[in-house]
Amino acid sequence: MAAVSMNGSARAPASDIALEVRGLSHVYEAGDRAVPALQDIDMSVRAGRFIVIVGPSGCGKTSLLMMMAGLRAHSAGTLLCQGRPIPTPDPTRVGVVFQEASLFPWLTTLDNIEFPLSLRGVPAEERRRRAEAMLSLVGLKGFGARYPHELSGGMKQRVSIARGLVQDPPVLLMDEPFAALDEQTRMTMGHELLRIWSTTSKTVVFITHSLTEAVYLADEVYVMSPRPGRIIDHIEITLPRPRTYEMMATDVFGRLRERIWQQIRHAQ
Amino acid sequence: MQRGLQTLIRLALLALVLGLWEVLPRIGAVNPMLLPPLSDVATTLWGLLGRANVREAIAVTTLEVITAFAIAVPLGAAAGILLAENEYLGAIFKPMLFYVFSIPKSIFLPLFILAFGIGFGQKVGYAAFTTTFVVMMSATAAVESVRGDYILVARSFGATPAQIIWRIYVPCMMPVLLETLRISMIFNFTGVMIAEMYASRTGIGHLISNWGENFQLPQLFAGIIILSAVAIAFNETVRRLEARVGAWRQ
């Protein structure tokens, strides 16, 4: 696991390491109490990898993701994205896909996808062209004029992914994007995501509660402990790509899933 | 097809009510002194619209309604948005606002007469006072209808504070704000009418109140028709706009 052996003095070129987290800790104030939320997080994510973070509810994994997106500050340690700190959101470096229903209900599907571009004053024609391209990438060609309430849960998350990718950021952060979907849709969406990922070669950091989803999607899985969140395991998923549904029935898949489960269970 | 049928039924009901209004007083089923036949009222209405004092009263009332509205809406909206956005001010003033909101505002009318005398100031002041509270309450609700996730999403795409206001708050709040406008106009109109009927020398409300006291029922009904027409016209205009702007709300 070359990715884990990086240290400060031998930093890899930014083109190779997409995200680097060193000794990151976070303490937040609740009333007059200081609550440690994250403790000594170390992660080194090579460009183009699919990283999944799993952990119990409230372990701070969403906070960590928000920090990677520049949406939240951390108390101590270093967080570098493409070799530079990310104190405020930078959509050209990082795209975010949120949990369910984060599309703007007053905008059509295309306008939702164009939203990040329109904030930066990209000309209308180019916006439309790029949004249309994203729409067909996520398999929703022809749905551009629909409003979010006219789409199914899975379709909404496809639009969310398209919106996250429209600025072509090298890193895509995903916060439990399929948690609200039913099991079948969730499996299909996981598969779709892998297809999109393989055609765009993005670095993905994906948060989930589902161990099956974690093993199915990931190159590497980071397991976090309950609060204060620490990395308690880092597992390389050696299953070949492209992943298939049949792999879920194999021993390797079962053993990997079991190892994550044991880590989470014993950390409680 | 379904809608056409509904419209047809509505028109039929309207025709029935108007027909009964004409026929019942004529055949003596209803005392024509209390409910003059529709045709008499219509003739009176036509005559009234030609009279200078009635035209002047309409002009006065319209000016009062518009002035009160122009004071109350920005004032109430600014105060409501401030209370909803500023946690500190909200914590202090929101409970008080609810207390004051529950008090019937008409009991303050004598105070306005004492402060402004009988006239334009008293009527506009009172109507603006009652309307401001309604706008404030609704504006608070409008701000609270903007979900935190939307703002987080916009920020993640690098939206500036100004962009968050124009691209998130405004479109998200617009349907509620239009609804506010519509409902506050109802209160505003009521405020002006109450003030005019209670103590005034001009305005439609004053005329209606006089006609009632002098038992001039055709004039009274004509006045009611004029006012209803104006009120319904405003309400429907804003409601159309509301439906168009709020189409995304399922």
Side-chain angles (χ1 to χ4, degrees):
Chain A
M1 280 190 290
V4 210
S5 62
M6 292 298 165
N7 62 40
S9 54
R11 216 194 295 155
S15 58
D16 190 29
I17 297 294
L19 273 166
E20 184 156 29
V21 183
R22 281 199 313 269
L24 182 142
S25 295
H26 187 60
V27 178
Y28 69 88
E29 311 282 328
D32 44 6
R33 254 163 10 103
V35 182
L38 292 168
Q39 209 171 61
D40 271 326
I41 306 284
D42 284 303
M43 290 174 79
S44 200
V45 180
R46 272 182 291 145
R49 300 284 274 177
F50 199 119
I51 304 299
V52 172
I53 303 176
V54 291
S57 298
C59 73
K61 51 194 191 305
T62 294
S63 298
L64 181 60
L65 202 78
M66 294 296 116
M67 289 166 191
M68 291 175 175
L71 283 164
R72 211 177 279 181
H74 55 275
S75 315
T78 317
L79 199 165
L80 300 177
C81 172
Q82 308 290 112
R84 284 175 293 139
I86 182 154
T88 53
D90 179 355
T92 61
R93 279 192 284 166
V94 173
V96 190
V97 176
F98 290 87
Q99 295 182 21
E100 50 158 344
S102 71
L103 297 178
F104 302 128
W106 59 89
L107 296 180
T108 62
T109 298
L110 266 181
D111 288 337
N112 262 292
I113 301 174
E114 284 180 28
F115 182 84
L117 300 175
S118 71
L119 289 180
R120 294 192 302 129
V122 174
E125 254 171 65
E126 190 190 335
R127 279 201 321 246
R128 185 81 356 161
R129 191 174 50 73
R130 285 167 69 174
E132 295 272 13
M134 285 302 122
L135 206 57
S136 35
L137 174 70
V138 299
L140 282 184
K141 215 174 177 146
F143 287 90
R146 304 275 184 100
Y147 281 91
H149 72 87
E150 299 170 309
L151 303 177
S152 71
M155 289 159 97
K156 280 186 212 168
Q157 283 315 76
R158 285 172 195 256
V159 179
S160 264
I161 294 170
R163 185 175 61 179
L165 288 173
V166 74
Q167 310 224 52
D168 205 20
V171 176
L172 188 65
L173 305 177
M174 307 184 79
D175 183 15
E176 298 194 48
F178 308 144
L181 303 178
D182 61 82
E183 189 66 25
Q184 276 180 358
T185 314
R186 187 175 189 151
M187 296 301 293
T188 319
M189 285 303 296
H191 202 73
E192 272 293 285
L193 178 61
L194 288 182
R195 179 185 64 77
I196 294 164
W197 170 68
S198 66
T199 60
T200 57
S201 62
K202 301 291 178 194
T203 310
V204 175
V205 179
F206 185 104
I207 285 182
T208 183
H209 272 110
S210 160
L211 305 186
T212 307
E213 196 171 58
V215 176
Y216 185 70
L217 296 176
D219 290 321
E220 301 162 41
V221 174
Y222 285 89
V223 184
M224 283 177 73
S225 68
R227 196 159 43 213
R230 285 159 292 124
I231 303 285
I232 49 172
D233 201 0
H234 177 197
I235 304 160
E236 193 94 14
I237 304 297
T238 46
L239 294 167
R241 295 200 185 266
R243 302 275 162 88
T244 61
Y245 295 127
E246 288 71 34
M247 287 178 189
M248 291 184 198
T250 62
D251 284 346
V252 184
F253 195 99
R255 272 200 303 277
L256 287 164
R257 195 180 180 286
E258 183 61 17
R259 174 168 162 193
I260 301 171
W261 168 234
Q262 291 301 336
Q263 291 289 349
I264 290 179
R265 199 160 71 106
H266 289 121
Q268 301 282 348
Chain B
M1 195 61 206
Q2 193 66 24
R3 283 186 63 133
L5 188 67
Q6 283 174 2
T7 314
L8 209 67
I9 293 174
R10 272 198 213 114
L11 287 174
L13 275 173
L14 182 67
L16 181 71
V17 169
L18 294 179
L20 286 175
W21 186 353
E22 179 64 30
V23 172
L24 291 181
R26 292 246 180 256
I27 60 170
V30 175
N31 184 351
M33 291 292 282
L34 276 178
L35 183 71
L38 178 61
S39 52
D40 288 3
V41 173
T43 319
T44 313
L45 174 63
W46 190 248
L48 284 178
L49 286 176
R51 272 166 52 186
N53 73 321
V54 174
R55 284 192 184 177
E56 195 202 310
I58 292 176
V60 168
T61 302
T62 307
L63 187 64
E64 286 163 357
V65 167
I66 291 172
T67 312
F69 201 60
I71 295 172
V73 169
L75 193 69
I81 289 170
L82 196 66
L83 288 193
E85 277 298 282
N86 189 312
E87 258 176 66
Y88 189 69
L89 289 178
I92 296 175
F93 288 107
K94 251 196 243 166
M96 290 164 66
L97 183 64
F98 280 101
Y99 296 154
V100 179
F101 191 66
S102 63
I103 305 170
K105 305 297 172 301
S106 47
I107 57 174
F108 294 101
L109 186 49
L111 289 176
F112 281 88
I113 295 173
L114 291 175
F116 291 99
I118 290 174
F120 189 76
Q122 155 243 344
K123 291 182 278 185
V124 168
Y126 170 73
F129 170 72
T130 60
T131 308
T132 304
F133 284 99
V134 182
V135 180
M136 237 159 115
M137 297 292 282
S138 314
T140 310
V143 174
E144 280 159 7
S145 74
V146 181
R147 296 209 339 230
D149 335 2
Y150 298 153
I151 298 163
L152 190 69
V153 171
R155 279 184 52 216
S156 83
F157 293 123
T160 62
Q163 282 175 327
I164 287 174
I165 289 176
W166 288 109
R167 308 295 300 275
I168 307 294
Y169 273 87
V170 170
C172 197
M173 283 163 51
M174 198 44 84
V176 188
L177 286 181
L178 281 174
E179 195 179 353
T180 304
L181 219 57
R182 193 164 59 76
I183 290 167
S184 56
M185 184 47 116
I186 298 174
F187 278 79
N188 186 49
F189 218 137
T190 309
V192 169
M193 281 306 115
I194 288 175
E196 282 188 350
M197 293 173 76
Y198 186 81
S200 175
R201 291 186 208 90
T202 51
I204 289 286
H206 164 73
L207 288 180
I208 287 181
S209 160
N210 264 0
W211 290 328
E213 279 166 18
N214 300 327
F215 222 65
Q216 293 171 284
L217 272 292
Q219 283 85 342
L220 178 62
F221 277 107
I224 290 173
I225 289 174
I226 295 174
L227 273 185
S228 307
V230 173
I232 291 172
F234 179 83
N235 202 52
E236 285 309 296
T237 310
V238 182
R239 213 163 57 91
R240 288 276 156 79
L241 205 63
E242 211 177 293
R244 191 169 337 144
V245 173
W248 54 270
R249 295 204 297 181
Q250 264 110 10

